């Protein structure tokens, strides 16, 4: 199995792809020329996007891809609350956030729609792969992680290696993260390979979120 990764110049956000014949399973959809070239070079016709949450940098690629490919967007049941709201998906303040990071990419406020919604613990089947969704709110109310089999975890902005997630965006909630989500993360196997929304992959046991417990 190959997990291909692409980093967007906007907020250095990751998209991860699996491919099977002319289909692509995408975890988040970033804006990236490299991703677009990869899809064309592999003859991809149909894309299924599983969203870790609705923040603009993780979904901006949907605007680029939806007219060119057969696209199905899948989110948690709480996804539409962010996807359909320019303030909650942060697209209304994307240029301000970008300017703090020294970026001059211009982004107009936008909304996107999902077509399919997952409940906590629901398993999504795609070409022989099984992805289980787990609700992990805190960074945003719609944040989820996806297990790919038992060894891999797509964690969005919920788990990073060296820093705690940002919990102060609109809809973010520190108490929810520490009281609800962190105990769930603490219960997971430390050998899981985590693919985060920003930065490279790491073993869950190496995350700062787990270190308090492990040490
Ligand atoms: Zn986010």
């Amino acid at each position: 199995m190959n997990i291909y990764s692409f980093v967007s110049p906007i907020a250095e956000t990751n998209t991860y792809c699996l491919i099977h014949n002319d289909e692509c399973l995408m975890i988040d959809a970033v804006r990236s020329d490299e991703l677009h070239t990869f899809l064309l070079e592999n003859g991809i016709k149909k894309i299924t996007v599983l969203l870790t949450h609705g923040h603009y940098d993780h979904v901006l690629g949907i605007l680029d891809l939806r007219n060119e490919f057969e696209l199905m967007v899948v989110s948690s049941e709480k996804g539409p609350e962010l996807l359909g709201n320019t303030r909650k998906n942060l697209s209304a303040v994307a240029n301000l956030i970008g300017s703090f990071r020294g970026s001059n990419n211009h982004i107009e406020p936008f909304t996107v729609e999902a077509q399919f919604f997952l409940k906590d613990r629901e398993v999504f089947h795609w070409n022989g792969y099984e992805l289980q969704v787990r609700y992990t709110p805190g960074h945003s109310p719609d944040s989820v992680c996806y297990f790919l089999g038992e060894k891999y975890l797509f964690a969005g902005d919920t788990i990073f290696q060296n820093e705690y997630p940002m919990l102060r965006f609109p809809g973010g909630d520190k108490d929810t993260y520490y009281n609800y989500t962190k105990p769930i993360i603490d219960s997971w196997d430390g050998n899981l390979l985590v693919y985060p929304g920003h930065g490279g992959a790491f073993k869950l046991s190496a995350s700062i979120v787990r270190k308090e417990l492990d040490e």
Side-chain angles (χ1 to χ4, degrees):
M1 180 187 65
N2 269 323
I3 299 175
Y4 300 93
S5 66
F6 300 89
V7 184
S8 174
I10 293 160
E12 295 180 359
T13 309
N14 294 323
T15 275
Y16 300 103
C17 296
L18 298 176
I19 56 175
H20 179 86
N21 297 332
D22 62 354
E23 295 188 34
C24 176
L25 179 77
M26 212 175 257
I27 309 296
D28 290 339
V30 301
R31 173 163 283 175
S32 157
D33 291 342
E34 204 188 326
L35 170 62
H36 186 250
T37 304
F38 169 83
L39 296 170
L40 294 181
E41 284 181 354
N42 284 281
I44 300 300
K45 303 258 182 315
K46 186 176 172 189
I47 301 171
T48 302
V49 182
L50 297 188
L51 296 177
T52 62
H53 62 301
H55 283 159
Y56 77 101
D57 51 318
H58 297 257
V59 305
L60 195 54
I62 293 170
L63 304 184
D64 308 331
L65 303 171
R66 65 185 173 190
N67 296 323
E68 201 174 339
F69 300 90
E70 188 187 329
L71 195 71
M72 180 171 83
V73 178
V74 181
S75 78
S76 74
E77 290 188 310
K78 293 220 168 121
E81 183 186 325
L82 275 78
L83 298 172
N85 183 308
T86 62
R87 191 181 61 83
K88 292 182 181 175
N89 71 22
L90 305 180
S91 65
V93 292
N95 295 327
L96 185 66
I97 294 172
S99 69
F100 289 135
R101 292 189 165 107
S103 155
N104 54 10
N105 290 295
H106 188 77
I107 297 163
E108 290 291 326
F110 66 91
T111 61
V112 293
E113 285 179 4
Q115 287 77 48
F116 196 84
F117 306 96
L118 296 172
K119 293 182 169 62
D120 190 25
R121 294 178 185 265
E122 198 169 343
V123 176
F124 187 81
H125 296 270
W126 183 86
N127 284 313
Y129 295 102
E130 290 190 352
L131 293 107
Q132 190 188 38
V133 63
R134 291 300 304 271
Y135 281 18
T136 52
H139 169 69
S140 64
D142 65 335
S143 279
V144 298
C145 293
Y146 296 98
F147 279 86
L148 171 59
E150 292 180 353
K151 292 189 181 147
Y152 307 101
L153 186 78
F154 298 106
D157 288 355
T158 294
I159 309 170
F160 298 119
Q161 182 167 4
N162 298 317
E163 56 194 290
Y164 281 91
M166 165 63 90
L167 303 171
R168 285 174 295 161
F169 286 131
D173 191 308
K174 203 174 166 181
D175 290 343
T176 301
Y177 186 82
Y178 285 102
N179 298 329
Y180 178 86
T181 293
K182 190 177 180 312
I184 293 172
I185 296 169
D186 287 342
S187 75
W188 291 341
D189 182 354
N191 288 315
L192 268 174
L193 187 58
V194 179
Y195 289 86
H198 304 267
F202 55 89
K203 260 173 67 172
L204 180 58
S205 58
S207 169
I208 190 169
V209 175
R210 283 283 291 255
K211 279 185 177 160
E212 278 178 346
L213 182 82
D214 292 347
E215 284 173 7

